[in-house]
Amino acid sequence: MIRPRHSMFSRLALVVAAGVAMWSLRDRALLAQSDLDAFMRQVMERRDDNWKKLQQYILDEREEVDLRGPGSFPLWGERREFTWYIKDGFFVRSPLKVNGAAVGEGDRRKYEDNYVRRQKARDRRARERAAAEASGAPAASDQAPAVDLEPDLPDSQSPAPAGLEDFIQQTRQPEFVSSAYFLRFRFDEGRYALVGREKLDGRDVLRVEYYPEKLFRDEESERRRNRQREQAGQNEPNRKQVDETVNRLMNKGSRVTLWVEPSAHQIIKYTFDNVDMDFFPGQWLVNVTGAHATMTMSQPFPDVWLPHDTRFQVTFMVAVGEVEARYSLDYHDYRQADVSTAIRVPEVR
């Protein structure tokens, strides 16, 4: 029996309509991914802008380390308290207490002087590398170990800042800012997935899952190491291959969740979990069973987001059982510094 021709046309029309619908959905998915990539690119580009908006702030810090054995038995721990203030145009981390005991004035000043010296040296090397990359020549810091040729001036010889523009000379992020982005996020096209909208601390945020491909790859450091090896006449293809393999496996076994404030393109929280670390050697001796980290930001000043806390937790199995290591940083009591007077840390009693 010959079926009516219109039935064949109807089926053909349904096939064509289904194909058009599939292509439409595909185009929408590609468009949505493209929009998400563009959004995340802005998030990464604006990530470092906050500490530059309001640089005349000071704050306090609490650092804790806790190591526990099987049954949560305490093995070792330490508590330290610091305050951050500005000296010679640089953010300085000044120790106040260690395990509840006040740090002596001499030890505190020695710690501060060493800290400022290191930060000035790092800031200078960063400027050298930036200038070298712009000119295409190797930086002096890549050719030989850096020597601090600019020792700190005594306080009496330090020029007083004329205003806010001259108040901060530091170009690198202060450590309390860089510690919040310890994962060193960089834009990773096509590796994001929008989970949905959520409420976080009363704010409307976007929850984004990140499946990294570049998280554990520092291209700048790789280029610097390659230049150093070339200058030294070294060729280490095996070492490079091992590094690439470890980075790839670390990325593959990692899961990152970000909560982003959409209007400001600001990451206000992220969590990191390494779900697979079985590729590390020496599993018979130490077996890392889990790694978790989280970071949250706060808004101590209008339109300025700064770190609030950072948490790390690693568990591993040894012969005696499971051991857990925890490390935390808490930043609190942000306040504006007075640029017209020198800032001194009050003596702890």
Side-chain angles (χ1 to χ4, degrees), residues 198-212:
E198 294 185 3
K199 284 280 188 180
L200 184 63
D201 296 331
R203 298 180 181 274
D204 293 321
V205 298
L206 299 179
R207 179 174 174 175
V208 178
E209 297 286 351
Y210 172 40
Y211 308 98

Side-chain angles (χ1 to χ4, degrees), residues 151-297:
D152 297 337
L153 296 173
D155 290 343
S156 59
Q157 299 180 25
S158 300
L164 288 183
E165 293 181 355
D166 301 322
F167 192 51
I168 296 295
Q169 302 175 22
Q170 182 170 351
T171 57
R172 295 179 71 252
Q173 288 181 342
E175 285 188 357
F176 65 88
V177 174
S178 60
S179 67
Y181 294 107
F182 56 89
L183 288 180
R184 304 187 70 175
F185 289 124
R186 53 185 59 79
F187 177 66
D188 205 349
E189 186 174 3
R191 309 300 296 179
Y192 308 98
L194 179 62
V195 177
R197 298 180 179 272
E198 294 185 3
K199 284 280 188 180
L200 184 63
D201 296 331
R203 298 180 181 274
D204 293 321
V205 298
L206 299 179
R207 179 174 174 175
V208 178
E209 297 286 351
Y210 172 40
Y211 308 98
E213 191 173 63
K214 299 180 180 180
L215 185 59
F216 293 97
R217 183 182 179 185
D218 191 342
E219 296 177 353
E220 179 181 347
S221 298
E222 288 180 4
R223 288 195 298 268
R224 186 161 61 251
R225 285 195 298 268
N226 291 335
R227 286 197 299 266
Q228 292 173 345
R229 291 168 182 168
E230 290 175 0
Q231 293 164 8
Q234 298 175 349
N235 186 14
E236 301 181 9
N238 292 336
R239 176 65 181 273
K240 181 179 180 181
Q241 184 177 4
V242 170
D243 291 344
E244 291 178 350
T245 301
V246 171
N247 290 338
R248 178 176 56 81
L249 293 174
M250 286 288 290
N251 281 311
K252 184 177 179 180
S254 298
R255 180 178 61 216
V256 181
T257 305
L258 306 101
W259 286 264
V260 182
E261 205 284 329
S263 60
H265 295 84
Q266 172 64 50
I267 299 172
I268 61 176
K269 180 181 179 180
Y270 67 77
T271 60
F272 164 83
D273 291 280
N274 202 296
V275 296
D276 184 8
M277 305 183 74
D278 293 339
F279 58 88
F280 278 112
Q283 294 289 323
W284 59 271
L285 180 63
V286 178
N287 181 17
V288 180
T289 57
H292 175 79
T294 182
M295 185 280 298
T296 58
M297 303 286 281

